[in-house]
Amino acid sequence: MNINQELSRVKTHYSNLPRSFFGFLPLYIGVETVLGITILNKCSGAYGILALFTGHPLNVFQWVSYLWSVFTLIIYSQGLFQVHTPSLLTYSQIFVVFSFDTFLTCVFTMIFSSQWFTETGSGMSDGSGVDEYGQGASETYEYTFTILITVVALVSRMYFNFILAAFNQELFLHPKYMVDFDDVEQDLKNKNKIVQWWIKSKKSCYNLARHILT
């Protein structure tokens, strides 16, 4: 399939993703903002790894969470440096990883929220009954505020995902960013195993992103 045919196919499937950030800013500013905020958030995972050197015990979940944060930090950082000269392979990888990260965030948020509400509800049932009205009002406010913050965080995360999807889709639309896989395969022959794996993972993400976005 040549470039013109590929471009025509993508335009046919052009979706209703955002065409700007918050309705008036260019998408690349949105991408910079999204990646910048996410990188700052993921730095906590890199910081958590330092617990290994302090002797602080880590459970399996913490290990997985911190290592995933470090991995995604590397993925997102490369995109932040390339936002003005984007690579379709790189941003396909970012889009796929960010989407999976969003899914994990939603799942763990629901799990932790459920546990928190269960524990809080259990604590309420153990109350002494003193000043029940004031306590009930305070707990209602706490519940409402927690739910509001959780919903805003999840909605923001999903919107960020749509921004990355829209940016990635525009790269697919522009012939300038089309990938010549013959050159990619030729270049792979001169790379070490780690780099080969890294580029192959980008190719897999490219195929998945193209399937989703076009």
Side-chain angles (χ1 to χ4, degrees):
M1 182 180 293
N2 61 38
I3 289 178
N4 290 332
Q5 290 175 321
E6 177 73 4
L7 183 59
S8 176
R9 186 176 70 85
V10 173
K11 285 183 176 179
T12 301
H13 294 84
Y14 200 64
S15 70
N16 293 319
L17 290 170
R19 302 270 66 89
S20 60
F21 186 52
F22 288 133
F24 63 95
L25 293 172
L27 276 178
Y28 75 87
I29 292 181
V31 172
E32 286 180 319
T33 303
V34 169
L35 292 179
I37 292 174
T38 308
I39 286 170
L40 287 176
N41 180 263
K42 294 300 179 181
C43 282
S44 62
Y47 180 78
I49 290 293
L50 295 178
L52 177 66
F53 302 100
T54 63
H56 183 76
L58 298 176
N59 58 39
V60 175
F61 174 78
Q62 288 174 316
W63 266 110
V64 172
S65 177
Y66 291 152
L67 290 175
W68 174 252
S69 292
V70 172
F71 174 72
T72 53
L73 181 62
I74 296 171
I75 299 289
Y76 301 149
S77 295
Q78 63 176 345
L80 190 60
F81 287 110
Q82 294 182 20
V83 68
H84 295 289
T85 54
S87 162
L88 187 49
L89 283 176
T90 296
Y91 271 91
S92 294
Q93 185 184 47
I94 291 171
F95 166 67
V96 171
V97 171
F98 195 93
S99 298
F100 183 66
D101 196 23
T102 298
F103 171 75
L104 291 180
T105 298
C106 292
V107 170
F108 286 124
T109 297
M110 288 187 291
I111 292 174
F112 292 146
S113 297
S114 176
Q115 291 177 343
W116 183 81
F117 283 121
T118 300
E119 292 173 359
T120 304
S122 176
M124 290 171 56
S125 63
D126 294 337
S128 61
V130 179
D131 194 15
E132 292 183 359
Y133 178 79
Q135 183 181 5
S138 176
E139 288 166 348
T140 299
Y141 173 80
E142 184 179 357
Y143 272 128
T144 303
F145 183 75
T146 301
I147 292 173
L148 178 62
I149 293 298
T150 301
V151 170
V152 169
L154 291 179
V155 170
S156 298
R157 177 77 190 200
M158 292 179 183
Y159 180 70
F160 288 171
N161 216 138
F162 289 142
I163 291 297
L164 286 176
F167 186 75
N168 212 72
Q169 190 180 66
E170 289 201 350
L171 296 183
F172 277 111
L173 277 169
H174 204 302
K176 175 182 177 180
Y177 301 108
M178 289 300 170
V179 179
D180 188 338
F181 283 105
D182 290 334
D183 289 344
V184 173
E185 291 293 338
Q186 187 65 32
D187 189 51
L188 273 178
K189 297 178 181 179
N190 303 317
K191 304 296 183 181
N192 60 49
K193 294 296 183 181
I194 295 177
V195 175
Q196 287 182 7
W197 173 83
W198 186 258
I199 295 177
K200 287 179 179 179
S201 73
K202 287 186 176 183
K203 288 175 59 180
S204 298
C205 291
Y206 170 90
N207 292 329
L208 180 57
R210 185 177 65 173
H211 176 74
I212 294 172
L213 299 174
T214 64

